[in-house]
């Protein structure tokens, strides 16, 4: 899925976009709005972005689990092979699973407080009162939706494109940095 990001100034325009996208067959689960005006979204019955779309919770949990896996492999495996503890294999596996889950749990604490890396570049516009409309479409229909939005809703400016899947290795700029 490809995610299209549109910035819109007026909630009435967002309502029109929502109606057009619903008529096109795009459900509320593929259409998310981020705004400071939560009450306006509620009264217009618009599908606001969930906590998973607004925060970096998923990405940080994934990172924490990866770190827990590395710690588990670094400390638990050597202890299992070279330690003088005669624990059953299942106990060592459970300890490794605990390290992975604890890493994910601790990572979630950071992620719930961090703004999602994909919408971070729109932070100032959202704070200024604009509405960020995120539309998830299959890649083969992305250009068609972009063209339709351009023709029917010139008030919505395309702010960017991306994937609807979180990337635990993405940096703050949304790109993957190996080093």
């Amino acid at each position: 899925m490809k995610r299209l990001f549109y910035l819109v100034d007026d909630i009435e325009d967002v309502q029109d976009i929502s109606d057009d996208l619903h008529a096109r067959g795009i459900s509320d689960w593929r259409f998310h709005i981020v705004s400071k005006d939560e009450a306006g979204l509620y009264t217009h019955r618009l599908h606001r972005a969930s906590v998973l779309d607004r925060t970096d919770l998923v990405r940080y949990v994934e990172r924490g689990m990866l770190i827990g896996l590395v710690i588990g492999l670094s400390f638990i495996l050597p202890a299992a092979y070279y330690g003088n503890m005669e624990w059953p294999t299942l106990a060592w596996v459970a300890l490794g699973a605990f390290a992975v889950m604890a890493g994910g749990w601790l990572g979630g604490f950071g992620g719930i407080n961090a703004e999602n890396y994909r919408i971070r570049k729109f932070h100032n516009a959202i704070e200024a009162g604009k509405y960020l409309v995120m539309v998830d479409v299959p890649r083969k229909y992305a250009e068609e939706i972009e063209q339709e939005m351009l023709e029917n809703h010139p008030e919505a400016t395309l702010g960017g494109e991306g994937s609807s899947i979180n990337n635990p290795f993405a940096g703050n700029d949304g790109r993957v940095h190996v080093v």
Side-chain angles (χ1 to χ4, degrees):
M1 293 291 255
K2 189 172 193 177
R3 181 166 281 183
L4 305 174
F5 298 92
Y6 289 96
L7 283 171
V8 183
D9 292 327
D10 186 32
I11 195 164
E12 298 298 329
D13 295 332
V14 175
Q15 181 69 55
D16 292 341
I17 291 169
S18 174
D19 294 342
D20 285 352
L21 290 174
H22 286 132
R24 178 107 165 92
I26 297 175
S27 69
D28 277 342
W29 298 110
R30 298 288 175 219
F31 176 73
H32 317 280
I33 303 163
V34 179
S35 171
K36 270 182 24 176
D37 182 19
E38 296 287 329
L41 295 178
Y42 179 77
T43 57
H44 280 80
R45 298 176 195 252
L46 294 168
H47 190 257
R48 70 183 198 92
S50 70
V51 69
L52 299 177
D53 291 317
R54 289 182 281 125
T55 65
D56 252 351
L57 179 64
V58 173
R59 190 168 70 115
Y60 276 59
V61 167
E62 290 170 344
R63 282 182 174 181
M65 290 177 81
L66 290 171
I67 291 169
L69 178 66
V70 168
I71 289 172
L73 292 175
S74 299
F75 293 107
I76 297 170
L77 278 180
Y81 284 120
Y82 303 117
N84 290 332
M85 295 179 277
E86 306 249 344
W87 289 1
T89 305
L90 185 60
W92 292 108
V93 170
L95 192 57
F98 175 77
V100 171
M101 299 310 283
W105 180 65
L106 290 172
F109 286 123
I112 197 72
N113 293 320
E115 188 173 38
N116 191 297
Y117 71 99
R118 289 182 300 217
I119 65 171
R120 193 171 293 139
K121 67 180 179 180
F122 303 108
H123 178 81
N124 291 337
I126 294 168
E127 287 298 314
K130 293 191 179 214
Y131 299 86
L132 177 65
V133 178
M134 301 181 293
V135 184
D136 296 336
V137 295
R139 291 197 180 276
K140 62 183 177 180
Y141 298 119
E143 287 184 31
E144 188 177 319
I145 296 293
E146 286 180 39
Q147 187 62 35
E148 189 173 310
M149 287 290 290
L150 186 62
E151 291 171 5
N152 297 340
H153 302 286
E155 69 277 359
T157 56
L158 182 63
E161 300 175 349
S163 175
S164 62
I165 299 171
N166 281 319
N167 184 347
F169 301 111
N172 287 337
D173 59 357
R175 295 184 179 170
V176 176
H177 301 281
V178 179
V179 179

